[in-house]
Amino acid sequence: MQGGAVQLALYAFTPSFVSFTSPSTLIHSPARHPPTSLDPTMRAYLYDNLDTDCREPHELSPSVPVSAEELAASGVLYWRLKDENFTEQIDKICEERNYKNRDQITVSKEGLGDQFDAKIKTFFAEHLHEDEEIRAILEGTGYFDIRDKDDRWVRIKVEAGDLIVLPAGIYHRFTLDTNNYLKAMRLFKEDPVWTPLNRPCDDNPYRKAYLQTVTAI
């Protein structure tokens, strides 16, 4: 899967892009486009914080589910896209939310070879971005972990057909699950870049704008 290796290299090492858009304009307003209810195939729950393989489920026992409303309170949006008109749904969301560019990435052990474990560690480092992170899952499965309003880790399982939007300024991380494969479409408002800013960066203006937004929800 040579294509996967090339795509991921571009994903991880695109040079930094400096946006002159005001941080406040990049924070999602829940009233504009509320998320759908969580589909039974997509699960969100509090993370158990155990220091074991990040690709394991890490679900508390008993489980503590997190609702779509609670995710929305942290600025996270979710759509469950239908196979029969997947492209049309993507195009509609792009038009409504002003996403201008898109590309695809493949994260897999076969494609990355010896670099696989190091890449997973990089993606799993807690970080934020100065723009939304938008992913439509095309194939495979994985996890996005986000910090909620109380700074707790919430794990969100994603699979083919899920589209998730993480707001600018939210602390989060990503990992595959034990299937070790995920293919996703990335959507962008501007140039297709991925620039992580690892925690701590609480003085970042996008972080401050995000906190002001979620506090007001």
Side-chain angles (χ1 to χ4, degrees):
M1 192 177 296
Q2 294 299 319
V6 172
Q7 289 172 332
L8 189 59
L10 291 173
Y11 173 71
F13 297 110
T14 304
S16 299
F17 171 69
V18 179
S19 172
F20 294 99
T21 305
S22 169
S24 60
T25 65
L26 298 178
I27 303 298
H28 166 68
S29 173
R32 179 184 172 191
H33 205 311
T36 62
S37 297
L38 278 178
D39 188 278
T41 59
M42 180 180 171
R43 301 186 61 246
Y45 51 84
L46 291 187
Y47 188 85
D48 65 11
N49 292 317
L50 294 179
D51 188 20
T52 54
D53 187 347
C54 64
R55 288 167 282 185
E56 297 293 337
H58 285 277
E59 187 168 4
L60 292 167
S61 182
S63 179
V64 182
V66 175
S67 68
E69 291 74 20
E70 290 173 297
L71 289 177
S74 296
V76 177
L77 300 181
Y78 165 74
W79 288 262
R80 180 67 183 174
L81 305 181
K82 298 179 180 179
D83 293 340
E84 59 268 22
N85 58 348
F86 184 89
T87 301
E88 290 81 357
Q89 291 174 94
I90 290 285
D91 291 343
K92 181 179 179 181
I93 292 170
C94 287
E95 181 179 357
E96 290 177 347
R97 298 185 60 80
N98 197 30
Y99 301 146
K100 302 174 183 176
N101 296 302
R102 65 184 74 178
D103 65 11
Q104 293 185 13
I105 61 163
T106 300
V107 187
S108 72
K109 197 165 189 177
E110 180 181 359
L112 290 173
D114 293 341
Q115 298 183 54
F116 176 77
D117 290 334
K119 294 297 185 187
I120 290 295
K121 288 180 180 178
T122 298
F123 297 147
F124 199 62
E126 185 173 1
H127 63 275
L128 61 77
H129 303 292
E130 293 185 341
D131 201 351
E132 293 180 345
E133 180 164 334
I134 311 104
R135 299 292 180 267
I137 311 304
L138 305 176
E139 299 174 2
T141 47
Y143 299 111
F144 281 96
D145 296 338
I146 62 108
R147 291 284 191 183
D148 69 5
K149 294 176 67 174
D150 298 316
D151 208 38
R152 301 174 301 179
W153 278 121
V154 174
R155 170 148 284 192
I156 306 169
K157 183 175 179 63
V158 293
E159 62 178 30
D162 290 335
L163 188 150
I164 190 169
V165 178
L166 306 183
I170 192 173
Y171 283 128
H172 66 283
R173 60 193 182 189
F174 168 80
T175 184
L176 296 175
D177 61 14
T178 52
N179 292 320
N180 290 330
Y181 178 82
L182 183 139
K183 182 178 181 180
M185 178 185 296
R186 303 189 303 165
L187 306 173
F188 303 91
K189 290 190 173 181
E190 300 296 341
D191 291 352
V193 298
W194 186 83
T195 306
L197 302 175
N198 287 353
R199 190 171 188 175
C201 46
D202 294 336
D203 291 333
N204 180 282
Y206 293 83
R207 177 63 181 172
K208 290 181 177 180
Y210 168 76
L211 292 176
Q212 290 175 356
T213 299
V214 297
T215 300
I217 295 175

